[in-house]
Amino acid sequence: MAVNGSNAGTAGTTRPGKPTAKYRAKYSAFSLIKHGLTKGDWPRAWRQHELRKHYDVVIIGAGIHGLATAYYLATNHGITNVAIVDKSYVGSGGSGRNTSIVRSNYLTPEGVRFYDRSVKLYEDLSADLNFNIMFGQMGHLTLAHNDSSLRTMRWRAEVNKLEGIDSEVIGPDDIKQIVPYMDTSDQTRYPILGALFHPPGGTVRHDAVNWGYARGADLRGAEIHQQTEVLGITTDRGAVTGVDTSKGHIATGTVVNCTAGWASLINAMVGLKMPLVTHPLQAAVTEPVKKFLNAVVVSGSLHVYVSQTDRGELVFGASTDPYASYSMRGSLEFTEELAGHVLELMPSIAKMRVLRQWAGLCDMTPDFSPIMGFTPVKGYLVDVGWGTYGFKAGPVSGEQMAACIAMQRVPELISSFDLARFAEGRLVGEKGAAAVGH
Amino acid sequence: MAESRRLTPQPGEVIDRSSPITFRWEGDSYQGFTGDTIVSALAANGVDIFSRSFKYKKPRGVLSATFHDPNCTVQVDDEPNVRGAHRQLQTGMVVSPENVWPSLKFDARSANQVVGRFLSAGFYYKTFMKPAKLWPVYQKILGRFAAGGITRADAEHGYYDKRYIHVDVCVAGGGPAGMAAAITAADAGKSVLLVEEEYDLGGHLRYGSADELAALARLRAQVATHDNIEVMTNSVVTARYDMNWIAVIQRQPGISVKGHEIHERLCKVRTGTLVVAAGLIERPYVFEGNDLAGVMLSTAVRRMINLYGVLPGSRAVVLTANPEGDACVDNLIRVGASVTVVDARTGGNVVRAKGGKRVKSVELADGRTIECDLVVTAIGWTAPVPLLNMAGDRPVYDKTAARFFPTDRVAANVLVAGALTGDGTTSELIAHGAAIGAQAAGSPVDVTALARVAHPEMYRSTTHGIVDYSEDVSSKDMVAAKKEGYDSIELVKRYTTVTMGPSQGKLESVNAVAIMAEAHGVKDLNEIGTTVWRPPYVPITLGALGGRGFENTRFSPIQPWHEAHMARPLVAGDWIRPEHYGNPAAEVTNVRTNVGLIDVTPLGKLDLRGADVPRLLNLLYVNKWLKLPVGGVRYGVMCAEDGVVMDDGVTGRLSEHHYMMTTTSSGAATVWEWVENWLQTEHPEWEVHCTPVTTGYASINVAGPRSRQLLRRLVENVDLSNEAFPYMTVRQGTVAGIADCFMWRIGFTGELSFEIHVPAAYGLHVWERLMDSGQDLGIGAFGVEAQRIMRLEKGHFIVGQDTDGLTVGYGADLDWCIKLDKDDFAGKPELVWQSQRSNYQRLVALQPVDPTVVPAEASQLVEGTKSIVGRVTSSRMSPTLNRSICLGYVEPRLATPGTVVTCQLPDRSRVQLTVMNGLAHVDPDGSRMKV
Amino acid sequence: MISVPCPWCDERNSAEFRPAGESKKRPDVATTTPEEWRTYLYTKSNLADWVTETWYHRAGCRRYFAIERHTVTNDIRTSRLPAAQIRLKESRG
């Protein structure tokens, strides 16, 4: 490949895992008290830099995938001459717009293994990053309102169990125990027949993950360049030679597309077309009320998922908008449908108010699985097509993409997510039970 | 109880002193008047404190006295987060403060005020990382600090409603400019919707001078004369979406449904032009102690005095930088308060306010400290630009006027009127509104722009204070966050949560931008930019958004009989069907022995007519259709273009150019669109007419060895003998006196059976006649469950259960059906390529070695500890064989009949299953149905 | 809610329609290759620009038609019959 096979790990290399920055502020209860007493300033969580003329690796997109890739390139492989460029600020895209649900109860063994690795990384991430990402493993319920979705839940549970994942189908009475507000009677239009219960699932503070990875990558030498838009990618004889940005040209042999929403536009810069369609995914949040919901609740049939934050707000999401669009303006029909469905599940919260809605962009693939790894353009790697599940895969994607770049081969864990699978007719089995699956 | 602060009647007051209202607050009984808000009534009774702050639990009093007042959110009965400074009093209301424990007067957690210095913004990101085990405990404690009111699991859902409105002009804001715009647009003959957030039209004129009150009276009278202006008060244009799709939330519209008062109504408006005349919102000033009770905005003081006749304080210090502040001074003096004026225009400033539960003194920039019980600030305005933002605008800051203004980037069908665009006298505002209204009506007018009057730029004094009241974020927090690298307005918002609380930054967003500008050392607020406003502008209840449930629910015309016979309902998409009538196994046995009826009305039915129907069928199904004779019926499978099994069903040829296609119940809508897609976008030259008749016919399957015997009693004009009406043929005739029925002989259950399709209106009649006539034959109804058992006994797969989103044709054992020698059909290329491979799982029949075990559907077939080699897709106990039977998928190497595979059950125990020869467990030759 | 101009029914709320995605030409089944066929099935231009799409007026006239829509602004500038119907009309004069 273009650069990394030979000279990755030369410039800016240190022993893996060791922060290189001269300044360092370890976060702890003790340091909080000390700062409180001295009223001193905290150092920057990540620094600002002048854009240099060359980096070993340029990562496009300062969201969780891009930042995690940079972090693991440094910690696991000692590759630190890395620039992460973003046209906006850290975590401004999908990484800061998702509903922050984490789970691993997927349908296929390869999906389960991949997302389970992510859950494991999330469990240790606060300590690893020295940044509290507030992972609350309150449990995750996927409701079934008809025989066929109950069968799909069972299918997932059985595959999960074989993979060692805590996942079980439970009945309406158990659901009522976990979520007392739920209408589990058979008097509703779509009675709840059961649910897939996944105790390790939960939510994370999404911004904290972005900032924690940004700080961790920065401490180890990677450079974060916000407000630096990629305008083009230069190639020579089918291999990447550099990136044109709004702040100037960067020479590099390795470019990683870690964008969501704009992945097709970046791909077009090297002349590639992929099976991606960009759809807005909307979310909404209510005013806070005292905590009453102690699980993430998902209903595929009713196209809704909901959880309550530590602040007391309910956070809602639904399925993606029906037509392709790069608009993040949000729509009324989304909140109407969402509210109607939430109230079918929990009718007593009708007087809670929706405070804010927003949208993020999702690059949907035909088989509800990402596209990761090498492409026909030498030195151009992708970590795209994350649909509506990019956040939960952030850590493992960063880890695996870093390994892919450093080792110059595709790690086993992501081998089924290759681009060639579409042309070769090897779609990933998550399509087998496609539904809203947060 | 404290002494009354109610003033003598004031000129513009909105309370009715002849109509007292009793309500409860914190357990005690209070009295106010009709027209009072919760907060004005409490304030009149001497109550100062309405809430505690989110983080530090500091006592909070009135700030803006509007809906957006961040300090006056209360619980009313079972409704959380009621805006107490807006919601009008109602008799018997039980009001309590939120976010306080154990009480408003003594909040135990206010110890946070002492340790506050350690709780810098984002402190929680910096601690509790280790040991990880303890984080859930910490998280629970943090959760207790959550703001907001309480919900109840048993609270009533209540009634909600929606309304669609189509108007030429929608005016957001019923102040002088908005009213004037509505009047001129209406004068030009346009239909107008005028939406006002407060309970009355008028905006700031309502608490203004005698002249302003007179102007208001004139405008209201003019609005009232127009039939083509609809006025909505206590309502807000809360969002603008693409193509002027507008959400208006109408609070307590005074409408009842089934005797229940509607709490809120969502009006969905498609308007030609949206006129935004939202006025201005007064902005708080940032200084130490700015969140003490008794520190108020000048407009809040004027509202309290003039609208509600309440004295907010008797010894006031007023920091004023504008005429509205001066008017506040006049108001206070008029009602007998002593006032110290601090004029910002001549260098006066407030440094800090001090006090405990209420402000006691204020320190001024000139060094004086003044004892007081009220500190008033009038230091400038926030332009409420969210609707403009949603219409594509990014407003620009004007340093001279010290506020943001709209630009011409706003969408062409959105106009802006009044104070959002500039300053003016009442008559200038009215003239501007009138000109914009004319423009909205399409009249060519010159609009004289309002002037932008110079205003001191005042955001923060020399001390630090609260920027976001609902989130308890101070300017100090923001500066610290900026130094930590959260240096853009979006990052600081996310890190400190400034502007993210229930008031969404309506009062404080510009202050936040100004603090960031200061922290960056830039003079121009435009360099910082603003955050993007997201809908809704004001919060909407889930109830109003959800409205009344209008989910489709379909019943067959035979439903009354099912209900009378205790059918257990099964939700099958839109349809509610009988799952069984008590004992599905007995229903199976009865069909196999006597005769049974099942209501299969939900079966999708498409009436196809025209010369080219055979070509259409040949293209949609994987098998051949060109030679189906008149009277013939054939089973077919459809695959999508990716070769995945999509639907199946039988299609019969009723006459030369007339076919009837059936689809699965759940696939009916999809197949119809699929048919239309091919006809309209690929083969418009074909002569085919497609009409969906699913609900045009009631469909009854008569199954069992005695079915012919039964039908002979009721069918006319059709020879039912096996020779005249053999298996897989269709006939038309009269059943139970009903003409225009068609029936075909097919065999999903595996028995001799006739599927009768009856004009829907006669469905119940025919069903009942069949039931009556078959009593002596042992007739019984059977439900979906019995049908599922019988089809599994026969090995018929169900699309979507025994196939999934990746099951390509040959995987479902369709080798016999797929005809690759056809020129073309949907999905053909993928099936050709699949036929050249062998690496796909196969659908097989399976029987547990232990015949009493029924493996749960979706149980996995395994090898070793975790290697998955297949799964069970259908399983039942067969009453016919008296043993368990299954369908499922296995790896190709395991598909040989006789192979024994291992199945892991949900309880993790394992059982052995034998792969069978062919899919049918019962009567593989079909001898029972071809008689 | 965007408003979609149906060639038969005029402007209607988008909720009445089913968007069927980018309009594409079906390859010739007799000669197609796996690569061409799967590009037809899966690969999208996904432009942030004007695109030609097929929509179906599900709760209206039940007609398929083509529109040009801008995927950033959601503005719609043309609405016409499906290409095959236009070709047919032309061939029949």
Side-chain angles (χ1 to χ4, degrees), chain A residues 125-163:
Chain A
L125 206 53
S126 292
D128 288 350
L129 295 176
N130 179 231
F131 202 104
N132 192 345
I133 61 158
M134 299 194 253
F135 187 9
Q137 293 182 285
M138 71 279 274
H140 184 283
L141 283 171
T142 314
L143 304 174
H145 303 266
N146 55 51
D147 287 354
S148 90
S149 65
L150 196 58
R151 209 174 298 117
T152 305
M153 296 312 138
R154 172 74 68 202
W155 185 0
R156 279 165 62 181
E158 295 312 307
V159 173
N160 292 171
K161 279 188 243 175
L162 285 163
E163 291 294 328

Side-chain angles (χ1 to χ4, degrees), chain B residues 903-923:
Chain B
C903 174
Q904 176 162 316
L905 303 180
D907 66 1
R908 294 171 199 266
S909 65
R910 293 187 170 199
V911 295
Q912 306 290 307
L913 312 180
T914 309
V915 175
M916 308 303 289
N917 188 11
L919 296 184
H921 298 272
V922 172
D923 188 25

Side-chain angles (χ1 to χ4, degrees), chain B residues 352-623:
Chain B
R352 62 172 60 84
K354 290 180 180 166
K357 288 202 172 137
R358 190 180 167 112
V359 65
K360 288 204 175 82
S361 68
V362 63
E363 190 183 318
L364 303 179
D366 59 15
R368 285 184 296 163
T369 295
I370 297 172
E371 303 279 309
C372 60
D373 62 1
L374 179 65
V375 175
V376 185
T377 62
I379 52 84
W381 310 95
T382 293
V385 296
L387 289 175
L388 303 174
N389 215 186
M390 294 171 210
D393 199 14
R394 294 302 290 260
V396 168
Y397 183 70
D398 181 328
K399 205 168 162 52
T400 310
R403 66 178 198 257
F404 281 85
F405 288 93
T407 72
D408 53 14
R409 277 175 293 193
V410 68
N413 51 12
V414 177
L415 302 174
V416 193
L420 264 173
T421 68
D423 303 289
T425 61
T426 303
S427 53
E428 284 166 342
L429 289 171
I430 291 171
H432 188 258
I436 295 295
Q439 207 174 31
S443 320
V445 284
D446 286 330
V447 180
T448 309
L450 290 168
R452 295 183 183 184
V453 175
H455 192 290
E457 255 190 312
M458 298 182 71
Y459 295 99
R460 186 175 76 86
S461 181
T462 51
T463 49
H464 281 292
I466 290 295
V467 177
D468 186 324
Y469 291 77
S470 43
E471 291 291 302
D472 234 5
V473 177
S474 72
S475 50
K476 206 173 172 177
D477 291 327
M478 293 184 63
V479 171
K482 185 260 158 191
K483 285 181 179 165
E484 273 193 70
Y486 304 97
D487 49 7
S488 71
I489 188 70
E490 290 285 355
L491 281 173
V492 80
K493 175 178 117 182
R494 286 165 179 270
Y495 190 69
T496 65
T497 71
V498 68
T499 75
M500 290 186 77
S503 70
Q504 290 284 287
K506 286 178 189 71
L507 304 178
E508 55 272 78
S509 65
V510 182
N511 284 347
V513 172
I515 301 297
M516 283 305 276
E518 194 188 331
H520 278 275
V522 301
K523 297 270 184 246
D524 184 358
L525 267 53
N526 288 312
E527 288 184 38
I528 300 299
T530 54
T531 59
V532 178
W533 287 91
R534 318 255 181 227
Y537 173 64
V538 294
I540 313 178
T541 58
L542 290 170
L545 282 166
R548 277 187 269 166
F550 288 114
E551 299 281 359
N552 283 344
T553 306
R554 288 175 144 185
F555 295 102
S556 118
I558 305 164
Q559 179 66 15
W561 191 94
H562 302 320
E563 279 177 23
H565 291 80
M566 312 305 279
R568 181 190 160 85
L570 172 75
V571 179
D574 287 351
W575 291 93
I576 310 292
R577 306 186 63 182
E579 184 172 1
H580 57 75
Y581 303 84
N583 186 346
E587 290 166 17
V588 170
T589 308
N590 193 53
V591 171
R592 297 244 183 266
T593 324
N594 298 312
V595 58
L597 296 187
I598 180 169
D599 179 357
V600 291
T601 300
L603 207 63
K605 295 176 277 287
L606 295 176
D607 182 291
L608 301 170
R609 295 177 196 232
D612 292 311
V613 174
R615 300 171 77 179
L616 173 74
L617 299 175
N618 220 38
L619 184 66
L620 296 184
Y621 286 119
V622 297
N623 50 339

